[in-house]
């Protein structure tokens, strides 16, 4: 099974290093020199770790295949995967992003949208949900708001506090329009 462990961010320096968004609970085990990653899009990989180091709270990776900043820029946004058999199916502590994507979002019995992503943040994770009218909203992925995740039956149950959908829809679209104007990117979702 393919397991996503990181997403490549912006280049760092001039020698091909990149920042990565870590999507694993065990970065010390996943990003050791010599580790080869499956990459999406496939045209960007495979990539083999040359070195890994932390700069404050940011993981920096160098790959054997990338020697310059320009080469590093070509893989920006790529997803890094490993092949693994180590998944404990009975573990209820978290879900992988690919397990959540596509699940129906229900409030009571009504389907209000679909999960389209997961944003892992230091304080708490956010579910990215596209509502039935096409609006993207962010829902805190905490037990009080998301009391049930049923991967088998392909839905999550949400008990949003009043105004959650409206407030988060405004923030999400405001961030999107700010990005367009600029034009110039808890549990972590992985089970150990």
């Amino acid at each position: 099974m393919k397991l996503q462990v990181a997403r490549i961010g912006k280049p760092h320096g001039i020698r091909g290093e990149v920042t990565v968004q870590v999507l694993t609970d065990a970065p010390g085990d996943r990003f050791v020199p010599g580790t080869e990653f499956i990459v999406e899009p496939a045209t960007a990989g495979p990539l083999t770790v040359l070195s890994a180091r932390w700069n404050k709270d940011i993981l920096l990776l160098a790959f054997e295949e990338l020697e310059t900043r320009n080469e590093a820029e070509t893989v920006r946004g790529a997803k890094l995967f490993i092949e693994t058999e180590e998944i404990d199916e009975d573990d209820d502590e978290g879900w992988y992003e690919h397990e959540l994507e596509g699940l129906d979002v229900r409030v009571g019995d009504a389907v209000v949208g679909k999960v389209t992503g997961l944003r892992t943040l230091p304080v708490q994770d956010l579910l990215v949900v596209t509502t039935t009218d096409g609006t993207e909203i962010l829902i805190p992925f905490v037990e009080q708001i998301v009391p049930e995740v049923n991967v088998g039956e392909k839905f999550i149950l949400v008990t949003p506090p009043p105004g959650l959908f409206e407030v988060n829809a405004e923030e999400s679209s405001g961030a999107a329009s700010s990005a367009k104007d600029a034009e110039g990117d808890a549990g972590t979702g992985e089970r150990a």
Side-chain angles (χ1 to χ4, degrees), residues 121-173:
L121 302 171
V123 176
Q124 70 186 19
D125 294 342
L126 296 172
L127 288 171
V128 180
V129 174
T130 301
T131 62
T132 53
D133 67 4
T135 305
E136 183 179 273
I137 62 167
L138 303 175
I139 297 177
F141 196 13
V142 294
E143 190 171 357
Q144 295 84 352
I145 298 174
V146 185
E148 183 179 356
V149 176
N150 192 325
V151 175
E153 294 185 27
K154 300 188 182 317
F155 75 90
I156 65 167
L157 182 62
V158 178
T159 56
L164 175 74
F165 281 53
E166 293 79 15
V167 169
N168 286 343
E170 290 168 13
E171 288 177 7
S172 181
S173 65

Side-chain angles (χ1 to χ4, degrees), residues 1 3 9 11 29 39 41 50 67 74 78 85 87 90 93 130 135-136 156 170-171:
M1 160 181 240
L3 170 67
D29 297 334
V39 182
L50 180 62
E67 296 179 3
T74 66
E85 301 288 328
I87 297 173
D90 297 329
E93 290 187 26
T130 301
T135 305
E136 183 179 273
I156 65 167
E170 290 168 13
E171 288 177 7

Side-chain angles (χ1 to χ4, degrees), residues 5 13 15-16 19 23 33-34 41 53 83 101 110 124 126 128 131 147-148 151 170 172 177-178 181:
V5 294
R15 295 202 166 95
T19 61
L23 302 173
R53 66 186 178 96
E83 273 297 330
E101 288 178 343
Q124 70 186 19
L126 296 172
V128 180
T131 62
E148 183 179 356
V151 175
E170 290 168 13
S172 181
S177 57
S178 294
D181 293 342

Side-chain angles (χ1 to χ4, degrees), residues 81-95:
F81 295 85
I82 59 167
E83 273 297 330
T84 185
E85 301 288 328
E86 302 172 18
I87 297 173
D88 179 3
E89 296 296 336
D90 297 329
D91 186 356
D92 289 332
E93 290 187 26
W95 293 269

Side-chain angles (χ1 to χ4, degrees), residues 42-61:
T43 56
L47 294 173
T48 307
V49 176
L50 180 62
S51 67
R53 66 186 178 96
W54 290 92
N55 182 9
K56 298 182 183 170
D57 293 334
I58 299 170
L59 180 62
L60 301 174
L61 293 180

